[in-house]
Amino acid sequence: MKIINEMRLDFPAFAKNEALARLVISAFMLPVNPTLEQLADVKTAVSEAVTNAIVHGYRDKCGTVRMHAALYENMALMVEVIDRGCGIADVRQARQPFYTTQEGEERSGMGFTVMESFMDSVEVRSEVGRGTTVRMKKLLDAREGEPIARQA
């Protein structure tokens, strides 16, 4: 499938940058006129993925989070959130509701569950000591007009 637009953003793994990621993905989606529900769904899923990278991936250490997004001509949106943190030893276990690596803190352990409920698909690849990539896809409804064409 042909990509009609894409972007990449690298930012420090600071909690305050979760809001930056939400704003950037919103701005990236706006030219294709998504519904408010689609916009909210993607922002929520991105927020969860970025928070997981910061809180669990780096665990109070310095690091960089990368967000890569692509929009395809069939109106499919793909968003990847990538960290080079500690990785996840057991991805299957980490995807279970209420699982958290931050015992004793106010964490619900629902990050992956939230992502899965708002996106059409969520893939998680991780390697201990090398980091984690969360790849999420959402099919957007075309509304009023055509999506933007890829600029040369």
Side-chain angles (χ1 to χ4, degrees), residues 1-3 5 31 62 67-68 72 79 94-95 112 144:
M1 191 58 53
K2 182 179 173 186
I3 294 175
N5 197 13
C62 294
M67 182 171 66
H68 171 246
Y72 295 85
V79 181
R95 291 181 79 158
F112 287 122
E144 295 182 29

Side-chain angles (χ1 to χ4, degrees), residues 38 68 71 81 87 118 134:
Q38 292 166 341
H68 171 246
L71 184 66
V81 175
F118 288 110
V134 176

Side-chain angles (χ1 to χ4, degrees), residues 68-79:
H68 171 246
L71 184 66
Y72 295 85
E73 64 186 352
N74 69 345
M75 296 298 287
L77 174 70
M78 182 277 302
V79 181

